[in-house]
Amino acid sequence: MSEPLEAALLNGQAVDPAASGLSVLDRGLHFGDGLFETLACRGGRVRFLQLHLERLAHGCERLRILAPDAGLLRAECEQLARACDQALLKILVTRGPATARGYAPQGNERPTRIVLRYGWPALDPRHAVEGIAVRLANVQLGENPLLAGVKHLNRLELVMARAELADPAVFELLLFSSSGQLVSGSMSNVFIVQDGRLRTPRLDRCGVAGIMRRVVLRAARAAGREPEEAALTRTDLESAQEVFLTNARIGILPVRHLESRQLAPGPITRELQALIAPSLEEAADA
Amino acid sequence: MSEPLEAALLNGQAVDPAASGLSVLDRGLHFGDGLFETLACRGGRVRFLQLHLERLAHGCERLRILAPDAGLLRAECEQLARACDQALLKILVTRGPATARGYAPQGNERPTRIVLRYGWPALDPRHAVEGIAVRLANVQLGENPLLAGVKHLNRLELVMARAELADPAVFELLLFSSSGQLVSGSMSNVFIVQDGRLRTPRLDRCGVAGIMRRVVLRAARAAGREPEEAALTRTDLESAQEVFLTNARIGILPVRHLESRQLAPGPITRELQALIAPSLEEAADA
């Protein structure tokens, strides 16, 4: 069993998640017409809250959803984070209940915002040290520049990808796009190191531009590296000396097993793990 | 303003759609992890109900969602249709409230079923006779064979496409896939006639396999035509002598204006309109 849901706010009101009052007309349900964020809380604080709120606002702009007041969302996140030493928050923002039938937004929708707090998922501490096992997904990601990078609610491809993953020893799946480009993990971004160069897939045709990806790119630049966002292929992945995954929950996890290939967590992975360690992260967010 | 919502059932219980009790954990909301159907009612009966229920069951199988009892869904649809001369029903089935955090289905989810009745949307009767105006969308559809043909809840691409359509004189947008294949309208399937041959896009990489599309293919076959499901390009569309659109609500509508090109509703379109007229449809469904 996974981490339990501990609290839920629907438009700011605490709701019983089992019998909560979401409208059956919500466009988030009907079309996946909305966005989400997953945030890590530690010591009663939300990490990188400002970056998450910025991405959410940017996503609203991309989908032309009226962004909820950032101060309100910030307050709701802080309210749910306050009581916990470690927890995960999930924010969902949708265009709101439909004001007319059909796909077309009418412009008069009032967005729905939901903030959920989950218990902190146990993460084997050896993963960050020794590395994880990763497989290549059979599911490929459809390409759409209009939605690329946005953390929207159309996630059925990832549901199908995760349904593939039966082996509990495999931590994550790496996905390619329908045109064969490396994109990301199912719940993480991916970086590779080739001959000392740090590279990550450019997310202009699909994928989600993760906050930890952004933090890592920023930390690498500040350290004098020149990380590259590029179109990467399977060959690039196979020729990499280091591969690591990032997200808000896992931070940076080195890949040790990539299908049948063995890798060792390398020096650049270690350097970046140290650079994004919690104390520095907090400073970076301030 | 569009057709009003008249009634809503959530797991069989009538709910106030403005304050209805959908769980904020529903995977339909979080991931678009579910399916829908749009059905036409006339004279208190649901047209092609059996075909819709079959497609829904097939979609559940594709997504590995436990299909709701078909008898129950049938009864709920009939209950909502009984009182109305003309109406639209929408069925939504999701994998249900999440039983764990994250994308992976756990296998113990209990599906959510929602049946909504909307007023019948006014349709200009001249559309079926004189034809409609259609534009080509800028939005392209991502390709994913795993989801192709399925009427799932990941519909953000179509939301974005419809948001493009500002001109009320344009009835529909035609969409191409990211690899340049003709796929469908934003809410309809498309057929073309080239040198007497009836053709419609093969839906093996994206698009929704519509019930009216299936009815038209069946009627054409029964009439001795050999309709072809094929990979069609923009050139095919541009060289077609007849183009028409189909869905449960509109039946068959000929295209008169395709961007700047003028077309006339042709003999094969007329023949098929006659073949799928209500009385025969009812017989076909029996």
Side-chain angles (χ1 to χ4, degrees):
Chain A
M1 184 51 191
S2 144
E3 48 282 9
L5 181 77
E6 299 176 332
L9 296 180
L10 174 60
N11 295 326
Q13 300 298 309
V15 290
D16 175 357
S20 47
L22 189 71
S23 168
V24 290
L25 296 186
D26 201 282
R27 291 178 57 102
L29 170 72
H30 282 246
F31 311 126
D33 190 5
L35 301 148
F36 73 106
E37 294 288 328
T38 306
L39 311 92
C41 305
R42 187 171 293 183
R45 292 192 53 200
V46 188
R47 295 165 72 192
F48 304 120
L49 179 54
Q50 183 58 32
L51 295 182
H52 283 286
L53 293 176
E54 277 170 21
R55 177 173 64 175
L56 189 60
H58 179 65
C60 284
E61 209 171 290
R62 291 276 300 273
L63 302 188
R64 284 168 270 175
I65 289 175
L66 184 70
D69 182 79
L72 205 60
L73 268 178
R74 172 180 286 279
E76 289 175 9
C77 289
E78 288 172 346
Q79 175 191 334
L80 290 194
R82 197 166 302 136
C84 332
D85 184 42
Q86 278 204 309
L88 273 185
L89 296 187
K90 183 170 182 176
I91 304 174
L92 294 100
V93 170
T94 78
R95 199 182 304 273
T99 57
R101 208 186 58 78
Y103 294 123
Q106 302 297 303
N108 62 350
E109 295 86 358
R110 297 179 59 178
T112 300
R113 62 181 199 283
I114 298 168
V115 186
L116 306 171
R117 187 182 74 220
Y118 293 88
W120 183 258
L123 186 62
D124 187 333
R126 287 172 303 182
H127 285 341
V129 181
E130 295 168 18
I132 53 173
V134 163
R135 288 244 180 93
L136 306 185
N138 293 316
V139 177
Q140 292 188 327
L141 299 171
E143 301 183 32
N144 196 324
L146 203 66
L147 300 175
V150 178
K151 203 169 170 86
H152 56 67
L153 296 176
N154 276 210
R155 294 296 158 202
L156 204 37
E157 289 176 326
L158 298 179
V159 170
M160 300 303 277
R162 294 297 298 192
E164 267 183 28
L165 183 55
D167 181 354
V170 177
F171 186 83
E172 175 62 307
L173 291 164
L174 287 179
L175 291 114
F176 293 83
S177 71
S178 61
S179 69
Q181 304 287 305
L182 177 64
V183 182
S184 66
S186 73
M187 52 163 186
S188 59
N189 288 112
V190 60
F191 287 77
I192 65 173
V193 177
Q194 284 175 303
D195 305 322
R197 282 157 60 225
L198 181 65
R199 308 177 83 195
T200 189
R202 188 189 297 154
L203 301 175
D204 55 350
R205 300 197 56 80
C206 50
V208 173
I211 292 300
M212 191 55 74
R213 174 180 183 273
R214 184 171 160 189
V215 168
V216 167
L217 286 170
R218 186 169 66 177
R221 271 186 219 107
R225 300 206 171 274
E226 288 174 22
E228 187 192 8
E229 298 178 64
L232 300 179
T233 63
R234 185 163 175 158
T235 309
D236 289 310
L237 180 66
E238 286 168 353
S239 68
Q241 291 86 42
E242 300 180 41
V243 178
F244 64 85
L245 306 185
T246 63
N247 78 20
R249 176 165 76 84
I250 64 178
I252 293 178
L253 292 185
V255 173
R256 173 170 290 271
H257 302 279
L258 179 61
E259 294 276 338
S260 61
R261 189 176 156 220
Q262 283 263 95
L263 285 154
I268 295 183
T269 304
R270 293 301 186 211
E271 176 192 336
L272 289 164
Q273 281 183 312
L275 284 173
I276 65 133
S279 59
L280 282 182
E281 288 175 47
E282 301 308 330
D285 191 29
Chain B
M1 184 52 193
S2 144
E3 47 282 9
L5 182 77
E6 299 176 332
L9 297 180
L10 173 60
N11 295 326
Q13 300 298 309
V15 289
D16 174 357
S20 47
L22 190 71
S23 168
V24 290
L25 296 185
D26 201 283
R27 292 178 56 102
L29 171 72
H30 282 246
F31 311 125
D33 191 6
L35 302 149
F36 73 107
E37 294 288 329
T38 307
L39 311 91
C41 305
R42 188 171 291 184
R45 292 193 56 200
V46 188
R47 295 164 74 192
F48 305 119
L49 179 54
Q50 183 58 32
L51 295 181
H52 283 285
L53 293 176
E54 277 171 21
R55 177 174 64 175
L56 189 61
H58 179 64
C60 284
E61 210 172 289
R62 290 277 300 274
L63 302 188
R64 283 168 269 173
I65 290 175
L66 184 69
D69 182 80
L72 204 59
L73 268 179
R74 171 180 287 278
E76 289 175 6
C77 289
E78 289 173 344
Q79 175 190 334
L80 290 194
R82 198 168 299 136
C84 333
D85 184 41
Q86 277 204 311
L88 273 184
L89 296 187
K90 182 169 182 178
I91 304 174
L92 294 101
V93 170
T94 79
R95 200 181 302 273
T99 57
R101 207 187 57 81
Y103 294 122
Q106 301 298 302
N108 61 351
E109 295 87 358
R110 297 180 59 179
T112 300
R113 62 181 198 284
I114 297 169
V115 186
L116 305 171
R117 188 183 72 219
Y118 294 89
W120 183 258
L123 188 61
D124 188 332
R126 287 172 303 183
H127 285 341
V129 181
E130 295 168 17
I132 54 174
V134 163
R135 289 244 179 93
L136 307 185
N138 293 316
V139 178
Q140 293 188 327
L141 299 171
E143 301 184 28
N144 196 322
L146 204 65
L147 301 174
V150 177
K151 203 170 172 85
H152 56 67
L153 296 177
N154 277 210
R155 293 298 157 199
L156 204 38
E157 290 176 326
L158 298 180
V159 170
M160 300 304 276
R162 293 298 297 191
E164 269 185 27
L165 183 54
D167 181 354
V170 177
F171 186 83
E172 175 63 307
L173 291 164
L174 287 179
L175 292 116
F176 294 83
S177 72
S178 61
S179 69
Q181 304 287 304
L182 178 64
V183 182
S184 66
S186 72
M187 52 162 187
S188 60
N189 288 111
V190 58
F191 287 77
I192 65 174
V193 177
Q194 284 175 303
D195 306 321
R197 282 157 61 225
L198 181 65
R199 308 177 83 194
T200 189
R202 189 189 295 152
L203 301 174
D204 55 351
R205 298 197 58 80
C206 49
V208 173
I211 293 300
M212 191 55 73
R213 174 180 182 273
R214 183 171 161 190
V215 168
V216 167
L217 286 170
R218 188 171 64 178
R221 271 185 218 107
R225 301 204 170 274
E226 288 174 20
E228 188 192 7
E229 298 178 62
L232 299 180
T233 63
R234 185 163 173 158
T235 309
D236 288 311
L237 179 66
E238 285 168 353
S239 68
Q241 290 85 42
E242 301 178 41
V243 178
F244 64 85
L245 306 183
T246 63
N247 78 20
R249 175 165 77 84
I250 64 177
I252 292 177
L253 291 185
V255 173
R256 173 170 292 271
H257 302 279
L258 179 61
E259 294 276 339
S260 61
R261 189 176 158 220
Q262 283 263 94
L263 285 155
I268 295 182
T269 304
R270 293 302 186 208
E271 176 191 335
L272 289 164
Q273 281 183 311
L275 285 172
I276 66 132
S279 59
L280 281 180
E281 288 176 43
E282 302 307 330
D285 191 32

